[in-house]
Amino acid sequence: MNKFTNLIIRDIRLAVRQGSAFTMTLSFFVVAVTLYPLGVGPELNILARIGPGVLWVGALLSCLLTLDRIFQADFEDGSLDQLMLGSLPIELMTLAKIIAHWLTSVVPLILITPILAVSLNMPADGIWVMMLALLVGSPVLSLIGAVGAGLTVGMRRGGVLLSLLVLPLYIPVLIFGVAAVEAAIAVLPMGPHILLLAGLSLGALVICPIAAAAALRLAVE
Amino acid sequence: MNKFTNLIIRDIRLAVRQGSAFTMTLSFFVVAVTLYPLGVGPELNILARIGPGVLWVGALLSCLLTLDRIFQADFEDGSLDQLMLGSLPIELMTLAKIIAHWLTSVVPLILITPILAVSLNMPADGIWVMMLALLVGSPVLSLIGAVGAGLTVGMRRGGVLLSLLVLPLYIPVLIFGVAAVEAAIAVLPMGPHILLLAGLSLGALVICPIAAAAALRLAVE
Amino acid sequence: MAVDLHKFANPARFLRITSAIFPWAAIVTVLLLAVGLYLALFASPEDYQQGATVRIMFVHVPAAWMAMSIYVMMAISSATGLIWKHPVADLSAKAAAPIGACFTFLALVTGSLWGQPMWGTFWVWDARLTSMLILFFLYLGYMAIWGSFDDQSKAGKAAAILVLIGAINVPIIKFSVDWWNTLHQPASVATMDGPKIHSSILTPLLVMGLAYTSLFLTIFIIRVKAEILGRRLRILRLAHVED
Amino acid sequence: MSLTAINLRCIRQDRLIFTDLGFSLKAGEILWVQGRNGAGKSSLLRMIAGLLKPVSGEIQWKGASVKEDPDGYQDQFRYIGHQEALKPVLSARENLQFWADFSGSHNVSAALKEFDLEKIADSPVGIMSAGQKKRTNLARLISSPAPLWILDEPISSLDTHYIELFKKQLEKHVAAGGMALLATHQDLNLPSVHKLDLDGPRGRNNE
Amino acid sequence: MSLTAINLRCIRQDRLIFTDLGFSLKAGEILWVQGRNGAGKSSLLRMIAGLLKPVSGEIQWKGASVKEDPDGYQDQFRYIGHQEALKPVLSARENLQFWADFSGSHNVSAALKEFDLEKIADSPVGIMSAGQKKRTNLARLISSPAPLWILDEPISSLDTHYIELFKKQLEKHVAAGGMALLATHQDLNLPSVHKLDLDGPRGRNNE
Ligand code: HEM
Ligand SMILES: Nc1ncnc2c1ncn2[C@@H]1O[C@H](COP(=O)(O)OP(=O)(O)OP(=O)(O)O)[C@@H](O)[C@H]1O
Ligand SMILES: Nc1ncnc2c1ncn2[C@@H]1O[C@H](COP(=O)(O)OP(=O)(O)OP(=O)(O)O)[C@@H](O)[C@H]1O
Ligand SMILES: [Mg+2]
Ligand SMILES: [Mg+2]
């Protein structure tokens, strides 16, 4: 267990040292979300209408951009070989890296969401549910992303293939996430959607570390 | 001049060999654009309203994802050192790589735009202007992108910093591009917007190769 | 020679069997397609509301069935490849993928052509249509993975992992019409209580379904053969280079 | 304590690299894997480290196949490949500390001392020269000790002084009952070294 | 034809690597740059190749500062660094062909022959072993000839057979009036080689 937390701590430390990872993901999120009002025009009612969708898509895309960080660097400098050879089971090793990714790349997005939501003219009820939905649903993003990252890790310029593999699988999260927020805004029950998101997270938590570990075994061959 | 075209041809060949670059960028564009309707909901009038914005933002983001392809691989395997040492002036070398990037990563996006536009319920007038605007404005994306790619080339995980540097500079293209399409849909003159885009392209064509070359000189030190 | 012979003992038998089936499959395909198209386009009754457009159904519905069942078949053969390491398993999934993608594309295109008269639009973002689009992306991603690895045995395993994860999508497509209220028709042929439509429609539908299946089989045999021979050729060429 | 390889066969991309390869190594012995470029030295070492699966054949540790207890076997060796496995933004000390923790050992400062790295231990690895990186990597052998060392070109880009130093460490290791698998083109003049030549009848001229 | 370095000073990240370094090299001569790890060999070679700017000092080609005609100077040398500058998806032949075109020369098939690469010339570089890649990289010296060769550890990961082959190429090059700058830790026993030791008073113990 000690090795497990050690690995998480190392990954967080690397993320902090390597050009302040937090601020960058964050800023990408902010830029991607603010591009929309620019593209769509500043009419408040339309903005409020598309707000939840824009925020969720922004989160998806920012998360996507950070996925290759999960394994690529370790692969390139040979650390992955060593991590695979360690006595920590590969599935747990993968899980540790997924947790580190979630903490460094996804959690900051959740924290900044309220500010962006206000700027998109979202009602207060919606904002809290938005954060809740992100909290419950976003682990899926890191988990599924890790499988994609594992599959493409050996490839030069796997980035775009990665998006192609991962984005379609993100769609259910997007649909239920937006549905939850819109239900909350329309003062309808949002419980079922949140539960579905939680279910997705749990399912992914079981399957994805195993699949990612299998993918990594291929990559180091 | 022969060396110049040779370099373009090499880059295109690499793009084709390395896991069918065309199809991948394309697919990312398609996925990114289809995510929006999913997030926003299927109401046709809202889709039509936000269509041009969604397409432009999709093009921007897909282009962004391919930017690191311009210099990163060459930097990592030492080819960049050799390209800088060749007798082709560095500015021309940079320009050749920019052209190759535009041809392999941006032009396919333009070609597939009509299909996506139809699915977003965009009127036919809008579609042609959309393609025209992309054709005239998208060289800016590659040109400015190359400067960002040059500045971040030495960095590990420069990807996110790159987005951060480049996206704000893409905003003018986005604004005029969307304005042109919306003008066309509203049966207003769209000439001025297209001219502005063309102006941006020409300006970038003059400045960006020089700036990118300067950035590269720093990177190889 | 630089190859494990046991690896290719099986493909040899496989090739023999498929070569024997191939001409029959081709003939059956032609016959069934002819009969099916005749029944569908001429013999079946026009719908009192939709008129002739209802006939799109005979292309659309079997194509959608094929799209899903080919994916399931790929998932099963990928699992076989991962677990029992059977050499033909990966190759057969690989050979099936483009065919499945074509059927998916056909279902999408005919569906949206049909949507224009029926729903007044080519495309809506409801659950059935969206999950079908995801299926199409999964096919594309699967093929892209094969294209991205130099090492074919690695590519096979990586692609297998993707197929298996994406398999969750198939029940979503199938039951999306029940779980969410969609514009799209709920199931009426393949339901728990048996088919619920009239035989004048059901018969051509089933004939077309069989025709598509044997069309798939025909193309599939050609492609698997090409894959196996291609792999052999590569080995021979490398062996030649070595000497 | 012994490592035995039986009838290993390696195929990479449908190409036979070697076949029927076997050797056995006991405590206190060094095996020098020789062979021309492309003979399969790196492939063999990765295979012994479990990173590459042999097409057929078996690797045994203490007489039992490593497949029976892969986790137990993994604690018994340290693999040093071509790549450094060092994070450029962390210092040598931090890098070694992480890997030591990861394998459950605590000899970092001793390792830094043995490989003469103390003066540069706290500057980031990213700005080190090729040889300095290599030494930091080799220091893992001391900071996370293990009975079997698997070393792929350990002395490339080391200067003569440090090659001597490395040799001494290696000799100390085997004198204490350790064993080592070594692929290198330079002759280290080690005593009591066994040789395995991949150019022989077992392998083939692969080009 | 001559290369002269006068009073070069190199500072990397606020750290003095060497100062007051000078040498001069004439046609038919080889300069072997020696020094312990971190002494600044790679830095010096990159400086001569114009990839790193000296803080002070001057590099002269044929008696004139290279700053006066950088483009003309760039045609006069070929730099082989640690990195391979080879695209893994292209074959050895395609890689060499591109670089030959890029420097305006046409000796690819001769180069492949000289470095004994003909048999593997058409398989992608990505699956080659360390030594095969290195040889492909060295073949650029023949396919795009230039009077001055700047070589950073050219023989690392070559086997003894190919080290000999490389030596012969080098000797042929200088016999034909070429010159070479060479940084390596292994003694090549070359005749008529000048030495430049960076550990001396000019450099400093950098650790
Ligand atoms: C692009 C749009 C469409 C897509 C992606 C699509 C997809 C599918 C799929 C996947 C099935 C197989 C369902 C199953 O086996 O349970 C199916 C069946 C069917 N589709 Fe579509 N469809 C589309 C448009 C339409 C339209 C516009 C209509 C007509 C109004 C239509 C009518 C049907 C019918 C009647 C069935 C047979 C259902 C059954 O009896 O089981 N579809 N479609
Ligand atoms: N990732 C790979 N995929 C496929 N083939 C490979 C791969 N790596 C190496 N090979 C091939 O396997 C053979 C053996 O390579 P290996 O790296 O084991 O040789 P080596 O003995 O270490 O050579 P060197 O002395 O050059 O390091 C080579 O012919 C090479 O082309
Ligand atoms: N990119 C860099 N940024 C800052 N400092 C560097 C960089 N690269 C190397 N250095 C430092 O410069 C010094 C000289 O490095 P250089 O690579 O030139 O040494 P070298 O003589 O080639 O050593 P080796 O024999 O290990 O290859 C080293 O102390 C190193 O720490
Ligand atoms: Mg090797
Ligand atoms: Mg060096």
Side-chain angles (χ1 to χ4, degrees), chain A residues 3 6 17 74 76-77 81-82 85-87 220-221, chain D residues 46 49 74-75 79 83 85 87 89-90 94 101-102 140:
Chain A
K3 293 175 188 173
N6 245 327
R17 293 248 186 115
D74 278 336
E76 278 165 12
D77 66 12
D81 284 352
Q82 303 291 347
L85 293 178
S87 53
V220 296
E221 277 224 338
Chain D
R46 285 182 81 80
Q74 286 190 348
D75 283 340
Y79 167 75
Q83 292 159 307
K87 292 291 161 191
V89 290
L90 300 183
E94 288 167 322
D101 291 344
F102 197 73
R140 288 201 300 117

PDB file of all heavy atoms in Angstrom, chain A residues 3 6 17 74 76-77 81-82 85-87 220-221, chain D residues 46 49 74-75 79 83 85 87 89-90 94 101-102 140:
ATOM      1  N   LYS A   3       3.762   1.549  -1.421  1.00  0.00           N
ATOM      2  CA  LYS A   3       4.262   1.790  -2.773  1.00  0.00           C
ATOM      3  C   LYS A   3       3.205   2.482  -3.616  1.00  0.00           C
ATOM      4  O   LYS A   3       3.511   3.337  -4.444  1.00  0.00           O
ATOM      5  CB  LYS A   3       4.645   0.462  -3.425  1.00  0.00           C
ATOM      6  CG  LYS A   3       5.823  -0.179  -2.764  1.00  0.00           C
ATOM      7  CD  LYS A   3       6.106  -1.537  -3.344  1.00  0.00           C
ATOM      8  CE  LYS A   3       7.182  -2.204  -2.496  1.00  0.00           C
ATOM      9  NZ  LYS A   3       7.399  -3.590  -2.876  1.00  0.00           N
ATOM     10  N   ASN A   6       3.058   6.054  -2.626  1.00  0.00           N
ATOM     11  CA  ASN A   6       4.304   6.654  -3.087  1.00  0.00           C
ATOM     12  C   ASN A   6       4.244   7.034  -4.553  1.00  0.00           C
ATOM     13  O   ASN A   6       4.710   8.105  -4.957  1.00  0.00           O
ATOM     14  CB  ASN A   6       5.422   5.623  -2.919  1.00  0.00           C
ATOM     15  CG  ASN A   6       6.422   6.092  -1.919  1.00  0.00           C
ATOM     16  OD1 ASN A   6       6.651   7.291  -1.820  1.00  0.00           O
ATOM     17  ND2 ASN A   6       6.981   5.177  -1.172  1.00  0.00           N
ATOM     18  N   ARG A  17       5.991  20.001 -10.779  1.00  0.00           N
ATOM     19  CA  ARG A  17       7.269  20.547 -11.240  1.00  0.00           C
ATOM     20  C   ARG A  17       7.274  20.827 -12.737  1.00  0.00           C
ATOM     21  O   ARG A  17       7.890  21.764 -13.198  1.00  0.00           O
ATOM     22  CB  ARG A  17       8.394  19.551 -10.958  1.00  0.00           C
ATOM     23  CG  ARG A  17       8.636  19.357  -9.505  1.00  0.00           C
ATOM     24  CD  ARG A  17       9.969  19.907  -9.075  1.00  0.00           C
ATOM     25  NE  ARG A  17      10.177  19.538  -7.694  1.00  0.00           N
ATOM     26  CZ  ARG A  17      11.137  18.724  -7.295  1.00  0.00           C
ATOM     27  NH1 ARG A  17      11.998  18.247  -8.161  1.00  0.00           N
ATOM     28  NH2 ARG A  17      11.248  18.420  -6.032  1.00  0.00           N
ATOM     29  N   ASP A  74       6.612   8.281 -19.015  1.00  0.00           N
ATOM     30  CA  ASP A  74       7.222   7.122 -18.370  1.00  0.00           C
ATOM     31  C   ASP A  74       7.660   6.094 -19.385  1.00  0.00           C
ATOM     32  O   ASP A  74       8.663   5.412 -19.208  1.00  0.00           O
ATOM     33  CB  ASP A  74       6.221   6.475 -17.398  1.00  0.00           C
ATOM     34  CG  ASP A  74       6.204   7.197 -16.074  1.00  0.00           C
ATOM     35  OD1 ASP A  74       7.211   7.844 -15.747  1.00  0.00           O
ATOM     36  OD2 ASP A  74       5.191   7.120 -15.371  1.00  0.00           O
ATOM     37  N   GLU A  76       8.597   6.744 -22.518  1.00  0.00           N
ATOM     38  CA  GLU A  76       9.729   7.223 -23.308  1.00  0.00           C
ATOM     39  C   GLU A  76      11.048   7.123 -22.552  1.00  0.00           C
ATOM     40  O   GLU A  76      12.076   6.822 -23.139  1.00  0.00           O
ATOM     41  CB  GLU A  76       9.501   8.672 -23.742  1.00  0.00           C
ATOM     42  CG  GLU A  76       8.619   8.752 -24.963  1.00  0.00           C
ATOM     43  CD  GLU A  76       8.081  10.144 -25.189  1.00  0.00           C
ATOM     44  OE1 GLU A  76       8.573  11.082 -24.533  1.00  0.00           O
ATOM     45  OE2 GLU A  76       7.170  10.294 -26.006  1.00  0.00           O
ATOM     46  N   ASP A  77      11.022   7.416 -21.256  1.00  0.00           N
ATOM     47  CA  ASP A  77      12.309   7.384 -20.561  1.00  0.00           C
ATOM     48  C   ASP A  77      12.576   6.050 -19.869  1.00  0.00           C
ATOM     49  O   ASP A  77      13.513   5.935 -19.096  1.00  0.00           O
ATOM     50  CB  ASP A  77      12.421   8.553 -19.583  1.00  0.00           C
ATOM     51  CG  ASP A  77      11.418   8.445 -18.453  1.00  0.00           C
ATOM     52  OD1 ASP A  77      10.812   7.382 -18.299  1.00  0.00           O
ATOM     53  OD2 ASP A  77      11.257   9.429 -17.723  1.00  0.00           O
ATOM     54  N   ASP A  81       9.010   0.524 -18.005  1.00  0.00           N
ATOM     55  CA  ASP A  81       9.623  -0.801 -17.857  1.00  0.00           C
ATOM     56  C   ASP A  81       9.817  -1.107 -16.384  1.00  0.00           C
ATOM     57  O   ASP A  81       9.471  -2.178 -15.902  1.00  0.00           O
ATOM     58  CB  ASP A  81      11.001  -0.830 -18.535  1.00  0.00           C
ATOM     59  CG  ASP A  81      10.906  -0.910 -20.044  1.00  0.00           C
ATOM     60  OD1 ASP A  81       9.791  -1.089 -20.543  1.00  0.00           O
ATOM     61  OD2 ASP A  81      11.945  -0.783 -20.703  1.00  0.00           O
ATOM     62  N   GLN A  82      10.410  -0.152 -15.690  1.00  0.00           N
ATOM     63  CA  GLN A  82      10.740  -0.390 -14.286  1.00  0.00           C
ATOM     64  C   GLN A  82       9.488  -0.507 -13.435  1.00  0.00           C
ATOM     65  O   GLN A  82       9.438  -1.314 -12.510  1.00  0.00           O
ATOM     66  CB  GLN A  82      11.630   0.743 -13.757  1.00  0.00           C
ATOM     67  CG  GLN A  82      12.916   0.944 -14.547  1.00  0.00           C
ATOM     68  CD  GLN A  82      13.902  -0.207 -14.383  1.00  0.00           C
ATOM     69  OE1 GLN A  82      13.744  -1.048 -13.503  1.00  0.00           O
ATOM     70  NE2 GLN A  82      14.895  -0.257 -15.254  1.00  0.00           N
ATOM     71  N   LEU A  85       8.112  -3.820 -13.704  1.00  0.00           N
ATOM     72  CA  LEU A  85       8.919  -4.855 -13.067  1.00  0.00           C
ATOM     73  C   LEU A  85       8.833  -4.805 -11.556  1.00  0.00           C
ATOM     74  O   LEU A  85       9.298  -5.704 -10.873  1.00  0.00           O
ATOM     75  CB  LEU A  85      10.382  -4.698 -13.490  1.00  0.00           C
ATOM     76  CG  LEU A  85      10.669  -4.982 -14.958  1.00  0.00           C
ATOM     77  CD1 LEU A  85      12.131  -4.756 -15.264  1.00  0.00           C
ATOM     78  CD2 LEU A  85      10.278  -6.404 -15.303  1.00  0.00           C
ATOM     79  N   GLY A  86       8.259  -3.729 -11.010  1.00  0.00           N
ATOM     80  CA  GLY A  86       8.185  -3.597  -9.564  1.00  0.00           C
ATOM     81  C   GLY A  86       7.251  -4.645  -8.968  1.00  0.00           C
ATOM     82  O   GLY A  86       6.528  -5.340  -9.677  1.00  0.00           O
ATOM     83  N   SER A  87       7.270  -4.748  -7.641  1.00  0.00           N
ATOM     84  CA  SER A  87       6.459  -5.795  -7.031  1.00  0.00           C
ATOM     85  C   SER A  87       5.006  -5.374  -6.866  1.00  0.00           C
ATOM     86  O   SER A  87       4.174  -6.175  -6.469  1.00  0.00           O
ATOM     87  CB  SER A  87       7.050  -6.194  -5.683  1.00  0.00           C
ATOM     88  OG  SER A  87       7.219  -5.053  -4.899  1.00  0.00           O
ATOM     89  N   VAL A 220       5.165  -2.506 -23.595  1.00  0.00           N
ATOM     90  CA  VAL A 220       6.582  -2.634 -23.277  1.00  0.00           C
ATOM     91  C   VAL A 220       7.259  -3.768 -24.040  1.00  0.00           C
ATOM     92  O   VAL A 220       8.471  -3.872 -24.020  1.00  0.00           O
ATOM     93  CB  VAL A 220       6.829  -2.845 -21.767  1.00  0.00           C
ATOM     94  CG1 VAL A 220       6.389  -1.634 -21.006  1.00  0.00           C
ATOM     95  CG2 VAL A 220       6.132  -4.075 -21.265  1.00  0.00           C
ATOM     96  N   GLU A 221       6.479  -4.628 -24.716  1.00  0.00           N
ATOM     97  CA  GLU A 221       7.123  -5.756 -25.405  1.00  0.00           C
ATOM     98  C   GLU A 221       8.162  -5.298 -26.396  1.00  0.00           C
ATOM     99  O   GLU A 221       7.929  -4.399 -27.175  1.00  0.00           O
ATOM    100  CB  GLU A 221       6.058  -6.595 -26.127  1.00  0.00           C
ATOM    101  CG  GLU A 221       5.406  -7.584 -25.196  1.00  0.00           C
ATOM    102  CD  GLU A 221       5.249  -8.964 -25.814  1.00  0.00           C
ATOM    103  OE1 GLU A 221       5.260  -9.063 -27.040  1.00  0.00           O
ATOM    104  OE2 GLU A 221       5.131  -9.931 -25.060  1.00  0.00           O
TER     105      GLU A 221
ATOM    106  N   ARG D  46      15.830  -8.393 -22.211  1.00  0.00           N
ATOM    107  CA  ARG D  46      14.436  -8.039 -21.916  1.00  0.00           C
ATOM    108  C   ARG D  46      13.608  -9.294 -21.628  1.00  0.00           C
ATOM    109  O   ARG D  46      12.673  -9.269 -20.837  1.00  0.00           O
ATOM    110  CB  ARG D  46      13.813  -7.255 -23.071  1.00  0.00           C
ATOM    111  CG  ARG D  46      14.291  -5.816 -23.155  1.00  0.00           C
ATOM    112  CD  ARG D  46      13.615  -5.057 -24.290  1.00  0.00           C
ATOM    113  NE  ARG D  46      12.281  -4.584 -23.940  1.00  0.00           N
ATOM    114  CZ  ARG D  46      12.051  -3.497 -23.229  1.00  0.00           C
ATOM    115  NH1 ARG D  46      13.048  -2.776 -22.784  1.00  0.00           N
ATOM    116  NH2 ARG D  46      10.819  -3.117 -22.963  1.00  0.00           N
ATOM    117  N   ALA D  49      14.263 -10.390 -18.188  1.00  0.00           N
ATOM    118  CA  ALA D  49      13.603  -9.486 -17.244  1.00  0.00           C
ATOM    119  C   ALA D  49      12.082  -9.612 -17.316  1.00  0.00           C
ATOM    120  O   ALA D  49      11.383  -8.929 -16.579  1.00  0.00           O
ATOM    121  CB  ALA D  49      14.018  -8.050 -17.532  1.00  0.00           C
ATOM    122  N   GLN D  74      10.363 -11.081  -9.656  1.00  0.00           N
ATOM    123  CA  GLN D  74      10.657  -9.678  -9.967  1.00  0.00           C
ATOM    124  C   GLN D  74      11.444  -8.981  -8.872  1.00  0.00           C
ATOM    125  O   GLN D  74      12.148  -8.010  -9.133  1.00  0.00           O
ATOM    126  CB  GLN D  74       9.356  -8.923 -10.234  1.00  0.00           C
ATOM    127  CG  GLN D  74       8.764  -9.290 -11.592  1.00  0.00           C
ATOM    128  CD  GLN D  74       7.628  -8.405 -11.981  1.00  0.00           C
ATOM    129  OE1 GLN D  74       7.108  -7.651 -11.168  1.00  0.00           O
ATOM    130  NE2 GLN D  74       7.223  -8.482 -13.234  1.00  0.00           N
ATOM    131  N   ASP D  75      11.333  -9.458  -7.648  1.00  0.00           N
ATOM    132  CA  ASP D  75      12.121  -8.844  -6.583  1.00  0.00           C
ATOM    133  C   ASP D  75      13.579  -9.241  -6.634  1.00  0.00           C
ATOM    134  O   ASP D  75      14.409  -8.661  -5.940  1.00  0.00           O
ATOM    135  CB  ASP D  75      11.562  -9.273  -5.214  1.00  0.00           C
ATOM    136  CG  ASP D  75      10.305  -8.502  -4.892  1.00  0.00           C
ATOM    137  OD1 ASP D  75      10.119  -7.434  -5.495  1.00  0.00           O
ATOM    138  OD2 ASP D  75       9.528  -8.974  -4.060  1.00  0.00           O
ATOM    139  N   TYR D  79      16.925  -4.478 -13.540  1.00  0.00           N
ATOM    140  CA  TYR D  79      17.195  -4.385 -14.984  1.00  0.00           C
ATOM    141  C   TYR D  79      17.598  -2.959 -15.346  1.00  0.00           C
ATOM    142  O   TYR D  79      16.904  -2.010 -14.989  1.00  0.00           O
ATOM    143  CB  TYR D  79      15.940  -4.808 -15.759  1.00  0.00           C
ATOM    144  CG  TYR D  79      15.955  -4.487 -17.231  1.00  0.00           C
ATOM    145  CD1 TYR D  79      16.714  -5.241 -18.107  1.00  0.00           C
ATOM    146  CD2 TYR D  79      15.203  -3.434 -17.742  1.00  0.00           C
ATOM    147  CE1 TYR D  79      16.727  -4.949 -19.465  1.00  0.00           C
ATOM    148  CE2 TYR D  79      15.206  -3.143 -19.098  1.00  0.00           C
ATOM    149  CZ  TYR D  79      15.967  -3.898 -19.951  1.00  0.00           C
ATOM    150  OH  TYR D  79      15.974  -3.599 -21.287  1.00  0.00           O
ATOM    151  N   GLN D  83      17.412   2.855 -21.844  1.00  0.00           N
ATOM    152  CA  GLN D  83      16.799   4.116 -21.422  1.00  0.00           C
ATOM    153  C   GLN D  83      17.065   4.365 -19.953  1.00  0.00           C
ATOM    154  O   GLN D  83      17.274   3.440 -19.185  1.00  0.00           O
ATOM    155  CB  GLN D  83      15.295   4.042 -21.665  1.00  0.00           C
ATOM    156  CG  GLN D  83      14.960   4.004 -23.134  1.00  0.00           C
ATOM    157  CD  GLN D  83      13.577   3.438 -23.326  1.00  0.00           C
ATOM    158  OE1 GLN D  83      13.270   2.359 -22.830  1.00  0.00           O
ATOM    159  NE2 GLN D  83      12.736   4.172 -24.016  1.00  0.00           N
ATOM    160  N   ALA D  85      15.247   5.854 -17.418  1.00  0.00           N
ATOM    161  CA  ALA D  85      14.234   5.761 -16.359  1.00  0.00           C
ATOM    162  C   ALA D  85      14.458   6.809 -15.284  1.00  0.00           C
ATOM    163  O   ALA D  85      14.285   6.548 -14.095  1.00  0.00           O
ATOM    164  CB  ALA D  85      14.175   4.367 -15.747  1.00  0.00           C
ATOM    165  N   LYS D  87      13.649  10.956 -14.227  1.00  0.00           N
ATOM    166  CA  LYS D  87      12.831  12.116 -14.568  1.00  0.00           C
ATOM    167  C   LYS D  87      13.707  13.358 -14.621  1.00  0.00           C
ATOM    168  O   LYS D  87      14.358  13.704 -13.632  1.00  0.00           O
ATOM    169  CB  LYS D  87      11.749  12.314 -13.516  1.00  0.00           C
ATOM    170  CG  LYS D  87      10.725  11.219 -13.521  1.00  0.00           C
ATOM    171  CD  LYS D  87       9.896  11.299 -14.764  1.00  0.00           C
ATOM    172  CE  LYS D  87       9.197   9.990 -15.012  1.00  0.00           C
ATOM    173  NZ  LYS D  87       8.595   9.936 -16.336  1.00  0.00           N
ATOM    174  N   VAL D  89      13.090  16.442 -14.388  1.00  0.00           N
ATOM    175  CA  VAL D  89      12.821  17.546 -13.460  1.00  0.00           C
ATOM    176  C   VAL D  89      13.156  17.208 -12.017  1.00  0.00           C
ATOM    177  O   VAL D  89      13.196  18.085 -11.164  1.00  0.00           O
ATOM    178  CB  VAL D  89      11.354  18.009 -13.517  1.00  0.00           C
ATOM    179  CG1 VAL D  89      11.071  18.711 -14.819  1.00  0.00           C
ATOM    180  CG2 VAL D  89      10.411  16.861 -13.305  1.00  0.00           C
ATOM    181  N   LEU D  90      13.373  15.926 -11.744  1.00  0.00           N
ATOM    182  CA  LEU D  90      13.747  15.570 -10.373  1.00  0.00           C
ATOM    183  C   LEU D  90      15.270  15.470 -10.288  1.00  0.00           C
ATOM    184  O   LEU D  90      15.948  15.217 -11.279  1.00  0.00           O
ATOM    185  CB  LEU D  90      13.126  14.233  -9.978  1.00  0.00           C
ATOM    186  CG  LEU D  90      11.597  14.137 -10.002  1.00  0.00           C
ATOM    187  CD1 LEU D  90      11.154  12.773  -9.518  1.00  0.00           C
ATOM    188  CD2 LEU D  90      10.976  15.222  -9.157  1.00  0.00           C
ATOM    189  N   GLU D  94      16.284  12.510  -5.690  1.00  0.00           N
ATOM    190  CA  GLU D  94      14.844  12.245  -5.681  1.00  0.00           C
ATOM    191  C   GLU D  94      14.503  11.050  -6.559  1.00  0.00           C
ATOM    192  O   GLU D  94      13.675  10.206  -6.194  1.00  0.00           O
ATOM    193  CB  GLU D  94      14.076  13.471  -6.159  1.00  0.00           C
ATOM    194  CG  GLU D  94      14.061  14.606  -5.153  1.00  0.00           C
ATOM    195  CD  GLU D  94      13.562  15.904  -5.764  1.00  0.00           C
ATOM    196  OE1 GLU D  94      13.888  16.187  -6.941  1.00  0.00           O
ATOM    197  OE2 GLU D  94      12.856  16.641  -5.069  1.00  0.00           O
ATOM    198  N   ASP D 101      12.199   3.419  -2.803  1.00  0.00           N
ATOM    199  CA  ASP D 101      10.920   3.191  -2.130  1.00  0.00           C
ATOM    200  C   ASP D 101      10.091   2.179  -2.893  1.00  0.00           C
ATOM    201  O   ASP D 101       9.458   1.301  -2.308  1.00  0.00           O
ATOM    202  CB  ASP D 101      10.110   4.495  -2.034  1.00  0.00           C
ATOM    203  CG  ASP D 101      10.745   5.468  -1.078  1.00  0.00           C
ATOM    204  OD1 ASP D 101      11.604   5.033  -0.286  1.00  0.00           O
ATOM    205  OD2 ASP D 101      10.394   6.661  -1.123  1.00  0.00           O
ATOM    206  N   PHE D 102      10.119   2.307  -4.212  1.00  0.00           N
ATOM    207  CA  PHE D 102       9.265   1.459  -5.024  1.00  0.00           C
ATOM    208  C   PHE D 102       9.677  -0.002  -4.915  1.00  0.00           C
ATOM    209  O   PHE D 102       8.856  -0.899  -5.081  1.00  0.00           O
ATOM    210  CB  PHE D 102       9.310   1.915  -6.485  1.00  0.00           C
ATOM    211  CG  PHE D 102       8.188   1.375  -7.313  1.00  0.00           C
ATOM    212  CD1 PHE D 102       6.906   1.854  -7.151  1.00  0.00           C
ATOM    213  CD2 PHE D 102       8.401   0.384  -8.254  1.00  0.00           C
ATOM    214  CE1 PHE D 102       5.864   1.354  -7.907  1.00  0.00           C
ATOM    215  CE2 PHE D 102       7.362  -0.117  -9.021  1.00  0.00           C
ATOM    216  CZ  PHE D 102       6.087   0.368  -8.838  1.00  0.00           C
ATOM    217  N   ARG D 140      21.219   2.899  -9.125  1.00  0.00           N
ATOM    218  CA  ARG D 140      20.057   2.144  -8.660  1.00  0.00           C
ATOM    219  C   ARG D 140      20.426   0.727  -8.230  1.00  0.00           C
ATOM    220  O   ARG D 140      19.740   0.114  -7.427  1.00  0.00           O
ATOM    221  CB  ARG D 140      18.990   2.070  -9.757  1.00  0.00           C
ATOM    222  CG  ARG D 140      18.291   3.376  -9.993  1.00  0.00           C
ATOM    223  CD  ARG D 140      16.960   3.177 -10.679  1.00  0.00           C
ATOM    224  NE  ARG D 140      17.115   2.540 -11.965  1.00  0.00           N
ATOM    225  CZ  ARG D 140      16.614   1.368 -12.270  1.00  0.00           C
ATOM    226  NH1 ARG D 140      15.911   0.710 -11.385  1.00  0.00           N
ATOM    227  NH2 ARG D 140      16.804   0.863 -13.460  1.00  0.00           N
TER     228      ARG D 140
END
